[in-house]
Amino acid sequence: MSGPPIILAQPLEGLLGELVARGYDVEIAADGYRILELAPRVHPVAVIARVGLPGPETPELVRRIKAVATDCRVIILGARRRDDAAALLRVGCDAALTADPDPQYLMWTLGRVLAGGVVLSPELARGLVETLAESVSREREWARTLA
């Protein structure tokens, strides 16, 4: 009996072994197009991919994964800017990490998103909070001009 399926694009050192050791049935995808071919067939519980993977732009890839595998969680590695994180969250990304984390942190992230959580690297979270604060400040200024 195989475990829950995961699609892994361009596996990180040690991650494939960690997933298999924990009982996941791992499908490897070389690019975004292969992820989109596999997703409706294997019904993955999660997809782990990287920003800039060959294929559709990353937000479009996430949107299309979510369209064909509605219960799938998506973890994206390599998000660098708060704009990246905001775009990924808008299309349903469940985790956006700035770097290639060690396998243990990625397994923790996987556990969090499979439990329904959202995970952001601290740098991305800080950037999104700053963007929100700037937006609130602009809205307050605008409201004062109307009063």
Side-chain angles (χ1 to χ4, degrees), residues 3-91:
I6 288 185
I7 298 174
L8 180 60
Q10 299 177 339
L12 300 170
E13 175 115 11
L15 181 58
L16 177 59
E18 188 70 31
L19 289 166
V20 171
R22 293 187 186 212
Y24 290 99
D25 182 18
V26 181
E27 294 276 349
I28 302 296
D31 58 36
Y33 298 116
R34 182 70 177 139
I35 291 171
L36 294 172
E37 288 174 16
L38 288 169
R41 183 170 52 84
V42 302
H43 305 288
V45 295
V47 170
I48 302 171
R50 177 182 314 287
V51 167
L53 190 66
E57 291 290 321
T58 308
E60 178 63 13
L61 176 63
V62 172
R63 187 192 66 72
R64 289 171 64 182
I65 291 167
K66 293 289 193 162
V68 298
T70 55
D71 293 331
C72 179
R73 303 292 182 240
V74 180
I75 299 171
I76 297 295
L77 308 175
R80 297 282 178 221
R81 303 176 332 234
R82 59 186 172 191
D83 294 343
D84 293 338
L88 291 169
L89 291 172
R90 274 193 297 274
V91 295

Side-chain angles (χ1 to χ4, degrees), residues 130-144:
E130 289 169 1
T131 298
L132 179 61
E134 291 165 4
S135 177
V136 167
S137 178
R138 281 191 302 274
E139 286 186 25
R140 285 184 179 154
E141 281 299 314
W142 183 74
R144 281 189 207 116

Side-chain angles (χ1 to χ4, degrees), residues 87-139:
L88 291 169
L89 291 172
R90 274 193 297 274
V91 295
C93 184
D94 300 284
L97 306 177
T98 54
D100 293 345
D102 66 72
Q104 292 302 316
Y105 183 75
L106 200 44
M107 294 307 299
W108 177 86
T109 299
L110 178 61
R112 298 295 303 156
V113 299
L114 290 177
V118 173
V119 177
L120 293 173
S121 289
E123 305 90 331
L124 296 174
R126 188 177 316 106
L128 288 174
V129 168
E130 289 169 1
T131 298
L132 179 61
E134 291 165 4
S135 177
V136 167
S137 178
R138 281 191 302 274
E139 286 186 25

